């Protein structure tokens, strides 16, 4: 009988630490890190994400995804000639947010990247759980809206060209398919690798992990010896997304690389999806993007605090990001 042979790294012949089915590659730790960096580099190039001399603000949550995004981008600043800084929003969700903030600070220090932190309690006097209780809405839906608003506001006030998000391939494939099933076709456009900004009040977004699997982000931080968030958000609930994820995982199991092919064809056909029917306007109170005279964030603040924060909030955010 043949002894079971140890798998060897396809690049250096040393014992392999992982096997990538979609690439049919056995890789040791070192060559896996190189491989993922090269994937991110290819993705940035393929979708022309970064213009020379651009200023990019990385949105970092403390999770493995955005840490992988920050670490890989930080190694590409010279190659693509751009400036990278980072921003974290402390959502005030008990130990979950305390751990996230600590990790973000560590990762930014390791990557040598200047960062700023917006604390919701300091900024609004309200955490996500308090905000959710006051307006009787599920924390997750408010959290998404608050993060989107503040990331854009911070990007505008910091004067950056693009905000980089840590969405990985597995999540993006789920969101795209969900929007297709619900026929929210306009929203599919927003899920591409790159979304252009608009007129100085809507910052463009890039997703450097558009073609990187979630499993690879976990391996990346672990092989690179980088800490990442161990706690799950206490408000996470199982929903439609998890069923779609299971379906897509099955497709990937049957044909490795399926999700990459899916994401690439979506990126190619993005322009065929309809544009939003509404015109992007400026909120009359804070000047941020809105579908009506007053944006949903200002309306939420009026409900909770009795007044919108409008330009006062912008001043405070400007001060926070001024150190970047
Ligand atoms: P999520 O919607 O929570 O899956 O997060 C998607 C992306 O938004 C992450 O990969 C980050 O780039 C960014 N993000 C999420 N949470 C935060 C946060 N608390 N602070 C800054 N950026 C965040
Ligand atoms: Fe926002 Fe869970 S991370 S509610
Ligand atoms: Zn190797
Ligand atoms: Zn507003």
């Amino acid at each position: 009988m043949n002894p079971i042979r140890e798998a060897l790294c396809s690049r250096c012949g040393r014992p392999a630490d992982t096997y990538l089915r979609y690439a049919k590659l056995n890789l040791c730790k070192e060559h896996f890190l190189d491989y993922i960096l090269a994937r991110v580099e290819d993705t940035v190039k393929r979708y022309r994400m970064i213009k020379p001399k651009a200023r990019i603000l990385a949105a970092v949550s403390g999770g493995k995804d955005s840490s992988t995004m920050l670490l890989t981008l930080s190694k590409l600043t010279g190659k693509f000639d751009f400036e990278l800084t980072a921003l974290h929003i402390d959502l005030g969700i008990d130990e979950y947010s305390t751990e996230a903030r600590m990790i973000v600070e560590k990762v930014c220090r390791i990557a040598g990247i200047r960062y700023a932190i917006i604390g919701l309690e300091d900024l609004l006097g309200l955490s996500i759980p308090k905000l959710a209780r006051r307006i009787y809405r599920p924390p997750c839906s408010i959290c998404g809206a608050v993060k989107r608003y503040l990331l854009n506001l911070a990007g505008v006030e910091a004067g950056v060209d693009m905000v980089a998000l840590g969405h990985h391939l597995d999540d993006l494939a789920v969101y795209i398919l969900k929007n297709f099933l619900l026929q929210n076709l306009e929203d599919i456009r927003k899920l591409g690798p790159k979304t252009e900004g608009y007129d100085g009040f809507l910052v463009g977004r890039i997703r450097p992990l558009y073609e990187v699997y979630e499993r690879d982000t976990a391996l990346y931080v672990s092989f690179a010896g980088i800490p990442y968030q161990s706690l799950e958000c206490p408000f996470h609930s199982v929903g439609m997304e998890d069923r779609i994820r299971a379906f897509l995982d099955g497709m990937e199991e049957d044909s490795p690389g399926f999700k990459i092919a899916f994401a690439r064809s979506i990126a190619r056909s993005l322009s065929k999806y309809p544009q939003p029917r509404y015109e992007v306007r400026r909120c009359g109170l804070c000047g941020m993007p809105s579908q009506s005279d007053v944006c949903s964030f200002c309306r939420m603040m009026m409900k909770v605090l009795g007044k919108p924060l409008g330009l006062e909030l912008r001043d405070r955010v400007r001060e926070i990001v001024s150190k970047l």
Side-chain angles (χ1 to χ4, degrees):
M1 212 167 66
N2 287 335
I4 297 171
R5 265 197 283 150
E6 191 176 20
L8 300 177
C9 173
S10 319
R11 300 276 153 88
C12 67
R14 282 181 295 170
D17 294 297
T18 186
Y19 177 63
L20 305 182
R21 282 189 80 212
Y22 61 91
K24 295 193 181 72
L25 281 178
N26 278 304
L27 293 172
C28 69
K29 282 184 187 163
E30 187 190 328
H31 286 109
F32 171 81
L33 293 173
D34 287 351
Y35 179 79
I36 296 301
L37 180 60
R39 279 197 82 77
V40 175
E41 185 181 335
D42 279 355
T43 310
V44 168
K45 256 194 231 150
R46 177 187 297 269
Y47 301 110
R48 298 188 176 87
M49 285 185 181
I50 303 179
K51 292 199 180 107
K53 307 277 179 245
R55 292 185 63 211
I56 308 285
L57 182 64
V60 280
S61 64
K64 56 197 184 324
D65 328 332
S66 50
S67 293
T68 299
M69 181 266 290
L70 182 80
L71 289 163
T72 47
L73 278 191
S74 74
K75 293 181 198 300
L76 296 171
T77 52
K79 208 163 227 168
F80 291 110
D81 187 20
F82 67 96
E83 186 191 300
L84 183 67
T85 51
L87 180 82
H88 174 66
I89 302 169
D90 181 339
L91 304 163
I93 308 176
D94 306 320
E95 312 91 73
Y96 171 74
S97 292
T98 315
E99 186 192 41
R101 187 182 182 129
M102 236 168 51
I103 289 174
V104 164
E105 292 182 326
K106 264 194 207 153
V107 174
C108 289
R109 264 186 249 121
I110 292 170
I113 296 295
R114 280 198 312 279
Y115 64 94
I117 296 184
I118 296 180
L120 276 197
E121 285 274 9
D122 298 336
L123 191 70
L124 310 174
L126 291 164
S127 60
I128 289 294
K130 279 190 204 158
L131 202 53
R133 275 198 296 276
R134 298 258 187 107
I135 54 173
Y136 307 105
R137 274 182 51 192
C140 288
S141 76
I142 299 190
C143 180
V146 168
K147 281 192 288 198
R148 264 192 308 279
Y149 179 87
L150 289 177
L151 285 177
N152 184 59
L153 177 53
V156 168
E157 293 302 344
V160 298
D161 299 289
M162 289 282 176
V163 166
L165 298 167
H167 290 122
H168 50 67
L169 176 58
D170 298 76
D171 273 354
L172 286 164
V174 169
Y175 301 150
I176 291 167
L177 191 51
K178 179 182 171 188
N179 279 314
F180 181 78
L181 294 174
L182 299 174
Q183 286 295 287
N184 295 330
L185 300 182
E186 294 157 13
D187 289 340
I188 294 182
R189 261 191 183 242
K190 300 183 202 153
L191 293 168
K194 177 179 175 181
T195 324
E196 293 296 344
Y198 187 70
D199 219 10
F201 66 97
L202 181 62
V203 179
R205 279 164 294 170
I206 55 170
R207 298 189 166 93
L209 305 186
Y210 190 75
E211 296 192 3
V212 175
Y213 287 91
E214 177 173 18
R215 171 183 179 266
D216 288 351
T217 67
L219 285 181
Y220 192 90
V221 284
S222 128
F223 286 177
I226 302 295
Y228 70 93
Q229 180 122 50
S230 63
L231 299 170
E232 187 172 9
C233 170
F235 301 116
H236 175 83
S237 59
V238 175
M240 181 180 179
E241 274 104 352
D242 299 271
R243 298 212 179 273
I244 298 176
R245 190 179 307 270
F247 163 75
L248 287 167
D249 286 348
M251 297 295 289
E252 182 72 29
E253 183 67 27
D254 290 348
S255 11
F258 169 81
K259 291 188 192 182
I260 297 177
F262 175 59
R264 281 189 188 163
S265 30
I266 288 290
R268 274 195 300 275
S269 58
L270 270 187
S271 60
K272 294 190 196 132
Y273 286 92
Q275 297 267 22
R277 269 158 291 153
Y278 54 85
E279 197 193 332
V280 187
R281 291 193 260 162
R282 276 179 188 264
C283 165
L285 299 173
C286 69
M288 289 292 102
S290 177
Q291 293 176 29
S292 55
D293 294 344
V294 175
C295 75
S296 50
F297 187 85
C298 284
R299 273 187 272 133
M300 180 156 64
M301 289 303 114
M302 284 197 273
K303 240 193 227 167
V304 179
L305 304 171
K307 57 171 184 150
L309 294 170
L311 297 178
E312 189 190 321
L313 182 75
R314 293 191 61 160
D315 290 343
R316 282 194 240 158
V317 169
R318 188 178 312 130
E319 199 188 321
I320 295 172
V321 298
S322 65
K323 65 177 198 167
L324 289 176

